[in-house]
Amino acid sequence: MTELRVRLAGEGPNELGRDAVDPSRAEPGVIEALLRKVQPTGWSVTGRTKWKDIGRYRAKGPTPGEADKVLALAFDAQRAEQQILAFARDSDGKMGRVAEIRRGVDEARSAFPHVAIVGGAPHPVLEAWLLALQGKTGTETLSKAGAQSRLTETGVPSKDTAAMVAAVEAARSEERRVGKECTIQ
């Protein structure tokens, strides 16, 4: 069986891994750690894209919004023959961003049916997802700063990628609800 090819996209090293910043440091990020929790083998990361580096999907029109960026990512994944697109883009407390990303995922699934899309907007930030993995409830109601400080209080500095990955790996494996939008198994 051929391994599935996966494209990751996120805002920086916490989502994508240290090699998103420094290619000589092959350390996974939170997205890869979450994927390994669900499916340990049978796939490999064959591309990483920082959110700020996503190109345009539509050649004309206004500055690309979040939905357009999701479409561009799916297009790039299809062009690179990657079967899976996995991404995270913090909502930063902006519910409009969450809606835009959902719309982009829906459009991309329709336009690129051969690319499975696993992605969304952690609300308010990725740190809230990590708190939820630790069994904390109500994390989706925290502010960005609140989620980051609460995660630090648990011993996981919010900008320490290795510590964040370790927190994912330490999470129990049974089904757990993450915020209101994502179920991790």
Side-chain angles (χ1 to χ4, degrees):
M1 181 175 150
T2 305
E3 277 196 343
L4 294 173
R5 297 167 44 91
V6 179
R7 173 176 297 271
L8 302 180
E11 295 181 54
N14 289 341
E15 294 86 3
L16 299 174
R18 297 299 323 160
D19 52 345
V21 174
D22 180 358
S24 69
R25 295 179 67 187
E27 299 172 17
V30 170
I31 298 171
E32 186 174 347
L34 287 167
L35 292 173
R36 294 238 179 260
K37 202 111 175 115
V38 175
Q39 180 63 44
T41 61
W43 59 275
S44 62
V45 175
T46 58
R48 298 173 200 274
T49 304
K50 287 186 193 171
W51 206 262
K52 69 180 184 75
D53 296 335
I54 298 170
R56 294 180 72 102
Y57 178 66
R58 295 173 179 90
K60 295 184 178 183
T63 303
E66 303 297 335
D68 193 74
K69 289 184 178 225
V70 173
L71 283 158
L73 284 169
F75 174 74
D76 288 345
Q78 178 177 281
R79 192 172 51 191
E81 298 180 354
Q82 295 159 326
Q83 295 87 9
I84 300 172
L85 165 61
F87 74 89
R89 165 77 158 132
D90 289 344
S91 78
D92 292 330
K94 300 172 186 167
M95 293 312 292
R97 181 180 287 171
V98 173
E100 272 285 300
I101 288 173
R102 282 186 189 144
R103 186 171 61 79
V105 169
D106 290 343
E107 288 180 30
R109 284 182 174 147
S110 178
F112 306 102
H114 299 296
V115 177
I117 301 172
V118 181
H123 186 68
V125 287
L126 185 65
E127 289 84 351
W129 275 7
L130 296 174
L131 286 166
L133 283 172
Q134 293 177 355
K136 309 292 190 259
T137 59
T139 61
E140 70 279 359
T141 65
L142 295 171
S143 67
K144 177 179 177 175
Q148 291 169 334
S149 66
R150 276 194 64 196
L151 185 65
T152 299
E153 290 168 7
T154 71
V156 181
S158 68
K159 298 302 173 194
D160 184 335
T161 300
M164 294 173 97
V165 167
V168 171
E169 292 169 346
R172 295 190 334 210
S173 293
E174 78 262 7
E175 186 175 304
R176 170 163 293 156
R177 190 88 174 132
V178 179
K180 292 183 176 180
E181 300 302 326
C182 181
T183 300
I184 303 297
Q185 300 223 3

